[in-house]
Amino acid sequence: MEILVCVRRVPDTSENEIQLNPAGNDIERDDLVYSINEPDNYAVEEALQMVAKAGGSVTVVTVGGDDDEEVLRREMAMGANRGVLLSDEAFDGSDGKGIATVLKAFVQKGHYDLILTGVQAEDGGAQVGGMLAAMLDYPFASLVNSIVVDGGKLKVSREIEGGNKEMNEIDLPCVLSIQTGINEPRYVGMRGIRQVASVEVPTFGASDLGVDASAVGDAGAKVKRMDYFMPALGKGAEMLQGDRGEVIAKLIELMKAKGGLN
Amino acid sequence: MARIFAYIVHKGGIADDSAAELAAAAKKIDAAASPVAVVTGWGAELDAVCETLRGSYAEVWKIANQALVYPNAELVRKALLNVLPHDGIVLVSHAHFGIDLSPGLAIKMNSAFVSDVLGIEGAEGANLKLVRQEFGGQVSAHVRCDASSGAVLNLRPGAFNPQEGAPINGVIVDKSAEVGALTAGRRYLETVVAEAGDVDITKHAVLVSVGRGIQEKDNIAIAEELADALGAAVSCSRPVVDAKWLPKSRQVGSSGKTVKPKIYMACGISGSFQHLAGLKGSPFIVAINKNPKAPIFQVADVGIVADILEFLPELTSKIRETKQVSA
Amino acid sequence: MVEGIQSPAQVTYWLMTGRSLFVVLNLLGLACFFYIVSKRMTPLIRGERDWRFDRPLVRLERVLQFWLGQWKHPRYRTAGIMHILFFAGFIILATQAFSLLILGIAGNFVLPGSSGEIGHIYDIVKDYAATIVFLCMIVAAVRRIVFKPARYAVPARYGKGHPVDAIFLLALIALLMASESLFEASKAAFQTQQGQPVEFLAALSLPWMLKNVLISTPLPTLQTLHLGAYFVDVLTFYFLLCYRPFGIQFHVETSLFNVYFAKLDRGTVKPVRWGVTDEHLDQVKSFGVKTFEDFTWKHMLDFYSCADCGRCSEQCPANAVGRPLSPRFITIKARDYSFQHYPMFGSAGNGTPLIGGIYSEDEIWSCTTCGACEEECPLLIQYIDKIVDLRRGMVDDGNVPQSLQKPLKALESRGNPYGKMEKKRAEWTKSKEFSQTCAVKTVDGKSNADTLYFVDSITSYDDRMQSIGRATARILDAAGVNFGILGAAEKDSGHDARRFGEETLFMALRDHNVDAIKASGVQHIVTSDPHAYNALKHDYKDVPPVEHISQVICREVKSGNLKLDPVENADSVYAYHDPCYLGRHNQVYDDPRDVLDAIPGLKRVEMDRCRDRSFCCGGGGLMLFYEPKEDQRMGVKRVQMAAEAGANVIVTACPFCMVNIEDAIKVAGLEGKMTAIDLAELVDKQLVRPAPAQLGHDKLTSDVLA
C-alpha cells in the first residue's frame, strides 16, 4: 500500500508561551520551539503500522520552506521511506485551499492508495484533508480514530460526540484526517534523526508540479489573516485573592449559594 | 448580499442547539438577512425538525432522501451541491459533522472556506471580517474572507448567542426532488456507542473536573476526595483520557459527553473550546489553575490561581468541616 | 603376614586394574567437564567485547576481599556465616580432593611437602573442614525445607523454582564429605584392628566418628567400604563437576573470574560499545541490547555466576512495591535462555528479541537505578549496566512509553524535561525576598567566580525545589564562597536521559554543559542535586572537581566557618534518608550526618535501612514521569520506615527524594505528623548569621526568611 502523509511544522503549543511581537503584526517567534503537528505524527505512525502489516511504503510531504525540512527528516527517522518538500515563493501566503492545490498537484504526479493528514494544525483549520479529497474526487473521512484494512477497502471509525464511534466503509484511494490517540507513536531519538541527516529530500516548485501560481499563495488566497491580537479580556472570572483560608471560605460560601453543598 | 444558508444538524427529531446560533451569526453578517435553514434526512424525524425550525427561520429547505437517513457527510455534500446555489454563504456548526462536510463542500462550490469562526465583525462588500483563534486559543486573529464567489463558514458552537425573538411562521420548501442520485465512496455502517462507565457524569449536579494540571494518575484521588466531600462526580478533559488516567466515559467535551451541572469545578483545565463545548446550560464555573493566563478564566464565574494539588486537599478538608458543623 | 588395606589403585576390578580404571574415569570426567565448559563459553565468544583486563592489582585485591574474604556475605548473617564456613571448607579441602583423585592412580600418593608438620596440621584441619561442610549442608537443607526464607521463593510469573534441585545439590555435597570421611575412617579402622600405624583423625570430626562406629567391623567389610567409598567419592566428585555448569552451582567455578572481572568504577555507566569513541558512534549499527548476543561476555558470565540467593530482589525497592521487576530473575531468565539456546548438543540459536520474550518492557523501565541489588550481590553481579543497555535497545527501536516521550522531547528542545523556557532557568534567583539578601551571579564571562553552583533542572524550575536552590546559595554566600551559576546556559545534566537509554541526547546535553563549564573558568563545582553530582563526577570528563553541598557544609562547619543555632522544637526527631546517588553510588554517608549532629540539640535516629541499605524514594529524573504498575509507592514505604524509627522529620539531600517523600507523606496520611526538609534548607534555617555591623560589608545578611 502506497501511503502519503501530509505533515506540517508548527510551534509546539505545550512548550511555548504565545505572545504578540512588539510590532503587533505576528506572534513572537524568537523563543519558539517547533515540532511536527501532533495529529500528523499520529498519522505517520498509523501509516507505518499499516505498511508493516500490508507492505508498501510511506511518503511524507509538506508545503513550506527549508525550515520545514526538519519535520520531514524526523518522520523519516521514525520510518517513513521518503520525504518530499514542496517549496516555492509562489506558495507563500497560501490559504487552506492553496495548500490543498499544491498537494493535489503532487499527488497526481505519483500514485498513492491512501492519503492521510492530521485532523488539524495550530491554526485550527481542519480543512486541508477535506479540500484535497474534493479536489481529487476521492472519498473522505475526518476525525478517524481507527483504520482496518479489509480487502481493497478500509473500515474506519470516526470520533463523534459522547465518545461514540461512527463506523464507515470507505473505498480506496481515499483521504483520511487522523485524530490523536489512534495509536501510540514510536519514539524518535536524536540518534535516529542524525542518521537521516544526509538523506536527500527532493524539493519541487510550482513549475515542477504544474501549479498555476495565481491559484496559490497570497495571490490565490481568498482567506487572509489580517493580524493577531490578544482577546480583550472580558469580564471573565471573579478572581479570589487573599490567603488560602480566606479564599477557601469565600469559595465555599459561593458554592453554597449556588446549591452545591448539600 | 448573497443568500445565507444555515445547515442544521439534528438527531432523534430534535434540531441541534446550533440552529439558533447559526441564525444569530447570519444576522451579524447581514442584519437584514433572512437565512434559509437547510436540513437533510428522512421520514418523520426530518419532518419534526423542519416543523421546529419553521419557528425561527423564514424558510426551511427540506431535503428528504432515504440515503440520507443517517447523516453521511459525503452524501449530504452531494445533495447540497445539487440544491444550494454555489455563490451563497453557507453556515455550518464547527463540530464533527461540519468538519467532515464543509471543506469539501467549499471546494466543490468553488467558494472560500473559513473554519472555526468565533466572531463576525461585519462585511465590506463581498469581504467578510471574521475572528478566529490560533495556538490552542492563546491568540486571536482577524481574518478577511473574500466571499465574492460564495463562502462556507464553520462556526464555533457556543460562540454566537442565540437571539430571543418572537416566533415566526416560516415556510418549508421541499427540495428533495433536486437531489439526484446519491452514492459515495464512503458508506455508513453503524454507530458504536461508548461503553457506559461506572459513573454517568451527565446525571450529576456538581462535577469536579480535572485536566492536565492533575499531573499524574495517582493524583486523581485528590479530586475523588473532593468529589466525595461534595457528593459530586469526577469528570475530565481530553488529555486525561488520552493519558488513560480516566475512562472515556468521564470526558466532558465535543468528543466526549455533554453535561449540564449546576456547579462545574474546572481543576487544572486550560479551557480549550472543545472541552467547553461539552458544558451546557450555564453552570456556575469555578476555575482553579496555576496559570493566571489560562483561557478558562475567561469563561469561569470564579477563578483561583493555585496549584490544584495543594488547593483541593485543603478545600476538601474545609468542606468536610463545614458539613460536620452543619450536621 | 597380615596385609594392609588395599588402596583403590591396587585392586583389580573385573578386567582393569584400579589404576587404569581410575585413569580412565578421571580422563572421562575431565573431558566431560571441558566439553561442557566449552559449550558454556560459546555465547561468551559471540558476546560483545568488554574491557576488564586493566588494573590487575586492584582486581586481585578485590578477589582477596570479596571472593576469598567473602566480604558481602555477612550482610545476611545466618546464610552468610554458613557460606563462609563451607566456602572455607572447600578451599581447605581443595588439596585433599586433588590427592584423593590421584590416589586412585598412584596408590600411595602423598602430596609433596605434606608428610611433615604442615601435613599433620593440614590433616586435622581438613577433617574438621569436612565435618563443618557436612553439617552446613544439613543445616542449609533444613533451612530450605522447614524455614523457607522468603527470598528463595519463586513468584508464579517467573516460572517454577528448583527447590528439589537445590536440596539435591546440598545432598550431593554432603555425600561427598561423607564418602571421603568413610574412605578415611574405613582405612583407620582397618589399621587399628591390625595394629598398624593409623593415620591421624581429628577428634570429633566426621571421619573420627565413623572410625569409631566401624571399629569392630570385619576387615573384608572394611575393605569393601573403603573401595566403595572411594568410588562414590570419585563419581560424586565428577558428577558434581559436570552438573554444576547446569545450574546455580556453576558459581563455584565462575565466581573467582566473576569477581576478578567485576566492574571497578562505581556510579558510571558502560559505554554503548567499548572501544568506540563518541565521535565514531554513528558507525554502530544498533545501540543497546536487543538480543542475548548483544550482552557483553562479562554480563553473560554474570548470568552464569548467579547463585539464585535472592538477596538482590529482597533489597530491590521496585520489587518491594510490586513493580514487575525482580533483579534475580533478570539474571536467572537470561541464564535459562542461554542454556536453552546454547545446548550441549545441537546448534546454537541466536537473535531472538529479549524484550517481549524473556523480558517485558515494564520490567525494564521499572528500575530506578538505585543500585541496591549490586550493593548486595556477593558475586558482584551488575544490573544497572544491563538495564541501561536494554533501555538503549528499546530507545533505538522507538519503543518508549508515551509518558517518557514528552520529557525526552522537552530535554531535546528546551534542555529540561518540563518544557519550560531556557531563559527562565535562573528565575529562581530573582524572587524578591531572596534577591535582596543574596545576589546570585551568572558566570557569563563578565563576572568571575571560582566555584560553579550547578543547579540542574528540577531545582531551577520546580516551585517547591527552588527553595533548595535558594538555601544552597545562601549557605555558599555565608561560607564566603565566590560562586556563580550558568543560568540560561545550563542545560539538564543528562544523567537520567543516559540511564533511560537515550545516549545521544545525553551526549548532546553533556557536551553543551562541558563547553559552558569550561568557558566559565571555574575551578570547583558544587551541586545540591545528587544526580547532577554523579553525572559531573562520573559521566562528564574534563570538568573541575565536584562536591555535593553536604560535603561543603560539613567542611565549613568543622572548620568553624559556619556555625549552627540549636533546634527550636524539642519534639522533633530527625531521620536522615540517604539519597541513592549521594549514598550508595558515591558513598557519602557521614558528611550529612556530621552536619546534622553539629546542630545543637538535634535528636537523630537511624532507620533500619540506612547507608548502603537505604531504600530508594522512588527515583528521580525521568522516573518522575514514568507511570509504573505498582501496588504502592516506594516513597510511602520509606516514610513508614521513618515513622517506625521514631522520627517525625525526614531530612534528605536530594530534590527528587524531596518530591517523592513530601508526596508520600500526603498519600500515607501522615500530614501533620511527619515533615520533610532538605539538608540545605535545614542548615540555612539554623545558620548563625552575624549582625551586619560585625561583618563589615554592605551585603544584607539578616535572616529575612523566617
Side-chain angles (χ1 to χ4, degrees), chain A residues 122-123 125 137 140 142 158 161-162 164-167 169 171 222 224 226-229 237-238 240 244, chain B residues 70 96 100 108 115 132 134-135 140 142 144 146 149 185-187 189-190 192 194 256 297 301 303:
Chain A
E122 84 286 13
D123 60 353
D137 266 316
F140 172 68
S142 62
R158 292 185 59 241
E161 77 285 341
N164 298 341
K165 294 185 183 178
E166 179 193 278
M167 308 302 295
E169 186 190 67
D171 298 333
K222 285 194 174 162
K224 295 189 194 188
M226 307 308 296
D227 61 19
Y228 280 117
F229 64 96
E238 176 195 341
L240 299 184
R244 186 58 58 82
Chain B
Y70 180 86
H96 71 83
D100 218 18
K108 288 296 188 190
S115 175
R132 297 188 69 252
E134 296 192 11
F135 302 107
S140 298
H142 288 116
R144 194 179 65 205
D146 175 5
S149 65
R186 178 177 126 199
R187 294 161 288 284
L189 297 174
E190 59 168 342
V192 173
F297 289 123
D301 293 291

Side-chain angles (χ1 to χ4, degrees), chain C residues 586-606:
Chain C
N586 286 293
Q587 304 186 291
V588 176
Y589 301 117
D590 292 314
D591 285 5
R593 288 175 165 80
D594 290 346
V595 169
L596 288 174
D597 292 340
I599 298 177
L602 187 140
K603 281 188 282 234
R604 187 168 71 78
V605 295
E606 286 282 11

Side-chain angles (χ1 to χ4, degrees), chain B residues 8-298:
Chain B
I8 309 300
V9 173
H10 59 92
K11 195 170 172 186
I14 310 212
D16 186 71
D17 288 346
S18 59
E21 294 170 17
L22 298 182
K27 288 274 189 270
K28 295 208 118 184
I29 295 173
D30 179 0
S34 180
V36 174
V38 180
V39 207
T40 62
W42 180 247
E45 286 186 1
L46 175 61
D47 292 336
V49 172
C50 291
E51 195 51 42
T52 319
L53 290 171
R54 213 161 63 77
S56 46
Y57 282 84
E59 231 178 291
V60 178
W61 288 11
K62 169 171 127 175
I63 302 174
N65 190 301
Q66 192 156 35
L68 300 174
V69 63
Y70 180 86
N72 177 342
E74 300 284 283
L75 294 172
V76 169
R77 193 181 309 118
K78 289 206 172 154
L80 293 180
L81 285 169
N82 288 331
V83 171
L84 297 181
H86 288 198
D87 60 356
I89 295 176
V90 184
L91 306 179
V92 186
S93 177
H94 184 70
H96 71 83
F97 184 80
I99 289 171
D100 218 18
L101 171 78
S102 303
L105 182 65
I107 293 297
K108 288 296 188 190
M109 285 187 165
N110 199 25
S111 298
F113 172 68
V114 188
S115 175
D116 193 24
V117 174
L118 43 66
I120 297 173
E121 293 191 349
E124 282 163 16
N127 285 323
L128 303 174
K129 208 168 168 226
L130 310 169
V131 178
R132 297 188 69 252
Q133 279 178 353
E134 296 192 11
F135 302 107
Q138 291 188 63
V139 278
S140 298
H142 288 116
V143 170
R144 194 179 65 205
C145 170
D146 175 5
S148 51
S149 65
V152 177
L153 306 180
N154 270 9
L155 305 183
R156 180 178 286 194
F160 295 91
N161 289 323
Q163 293 166 340
E164 298 291 337
I168 57 182
N169 202 6
V171 297
I172 298 175
V173 180
D174 194 332
K175 293 282 189 175
S176 313
E178 295 175 35
V179 158
L182 287 180
T183 55
R186 178 177 126 199
R187 294 161 288 284
Y188 168 73
L189 297 174
E190 59 168 342
T191 299
V192 173
V193 175
E195 275 168 30
D198 47 343
V199 169
D200 185 355
I201 55 174
T202 63
K203 300 262 186 323
H204 281 257
V206 182
L207 288 174
V208 175
S209 205
V210 295
R212 245 190 255 268
I214 199 77
Q215 285 184 29
E216 291 181 16
K217 185 174 183 170
D218 289 340
N219 291 335
I220 299 209
I222 297 175
E224 302 270 3
E225 289 285 305
L226 177 57
D228 187 62
L230 287 169
V234 173
S235 60
C236 68
S237 61
R238 195 200 172 95
V240 172
V241 172
D242 279 349
K244 301 195 172 41
W245 298 339
L246 281 175
K248 184 87 180 169
S249 56
R250 303 285 190 123
Q251 185 190 331
V252 173
S254 52
S255 67
K257 296 260 169 71
T258 304
V259 294
K260 289 189 175 115
K262 270 198 285 200
I263 299 185
Y264 189 77
M265 303 194 67
C267 310
I269 290 178
S270 62
S272 74
F273 95 84
Q274 291 97 335
H275 177 71
L276 297 171
L279 268 188
K280 294 272 193 278
S282 323
F284 183 72
I285 302 177
V286 178
I288 308 159
N289 198 301
K290 253 199 317 202
N291 177 7
K293 292 201 229 157
I296 189 82
F297 289 123
Q298 285 304 295

Side-chain angles (χ1 to χ4, degrees), chain C residues 440-444 447-455 472 476-477 479-486 517 520-527 544-549 552 555-556:
Chain C
V440 175
K441 60 188 171 192
T442 309
V443 283
D444 51 10
S447 47
N448 265 323
D450 58 53
T451 300
L452 170 67
Y453 172 30
F454 191 94
V455 189
T472 306
L476 291 172
D477 208 35
V481 177
N482 180 9
F483 76 98
I485 60 171
L486 289 174
I517 293 172
S520 72
V522 295
Q523 313 287 321
H524 315 275
I525 308 178
V526 173
T527 181
V546 60
E547 279 188 303
H548 183 262
I549 189 65
V552 173
R555 192 176 50 245
E556 298 294 325

Side-chain angles (χ1 to χ4, degrees), chain C residues 151-314:
Chain C
R151 66 180 185 275
Y152 298 151
V154 177
R157 68 167 156 224
Y158 295 118
K160 300 182 316 237
H162 305 282
V164 173
D165 196 57
I167 309 292
F168 178 57
L169 282 161
L170 293 171
L172 281 179
I173 296 170
L175 181 63
L176 195 64
M177 298 299 112
S179 60
E180 210 177 279
S181 304
L182 182 60
F183 180 74
E184 304 260 314
S186 53
K187 180 171 179 184
F190 194 99
Q191 287 166 333
T192 309
Q193 287 186 26
Q194 291 215 312
Q196 286 168 346
V198 182
E199 277 177 38
F200 185 83
L201 294 176
L204 294 180
S205 71
L206 186 60
W208 181 89
M209 287 194 276
L210 285 174
K211 179 196 105 181
N212 286 329
V213 165
L214 296 171
I215 201 73
S216 323
T217 311
L219 292 183
T221 314
L222 285 177
Q223 176 73 69
T224 313
L225 282 174
H226 185 71
L227 297 173
Y230 188 77
F231 251 114
V232 171
D233 187 272
V234 172
L235 290 176
T236 310
F237 177 86
Y238 277 110
F239 180 81
L240 275 172
L241 186 68
C242 295
Y243 188 64
R244 277 198 294 266
F246 289 89
I248 59 143
Q249 292 280 331
F250 200 12
H251 78 271
V252 170
E253 273 81 24
T254 65
S255 55
L256 174 62
F257 301 99
N258 212 50
V259 171
Y260 182 82
F261 290 118
K263 181 169 174 171
L264 297 176
D265 303 313
R266 291 181 100 98
T268 60
V269 164
K270 75 175 267 292
V272 173
R273 198 145 297 171
W274 288 99
V276 177
T277 56
D278 291 345
E279 298 79 51
H280 294 113
L281 270 178
D282 304 333
Q283 295 159 11
V284 174
K285 271 201 158 153
S286 165
F287 269 29
V289 166
K290 299 176 185 173
T291 66
F292 185 79
E293 291 70 24
D294 293 331
F295 279 121
T296 70
W297 62 263
K298 174 58 171 70
H299 288 165
M300 293 179 183
L301 188 61
D302 275 348
F303 297 140
Y304 287 161
S305 304
C306 174
D308 208 15
C309 68
R311 295 181 185 199
C312 54
S313 289
E314 193 158 86

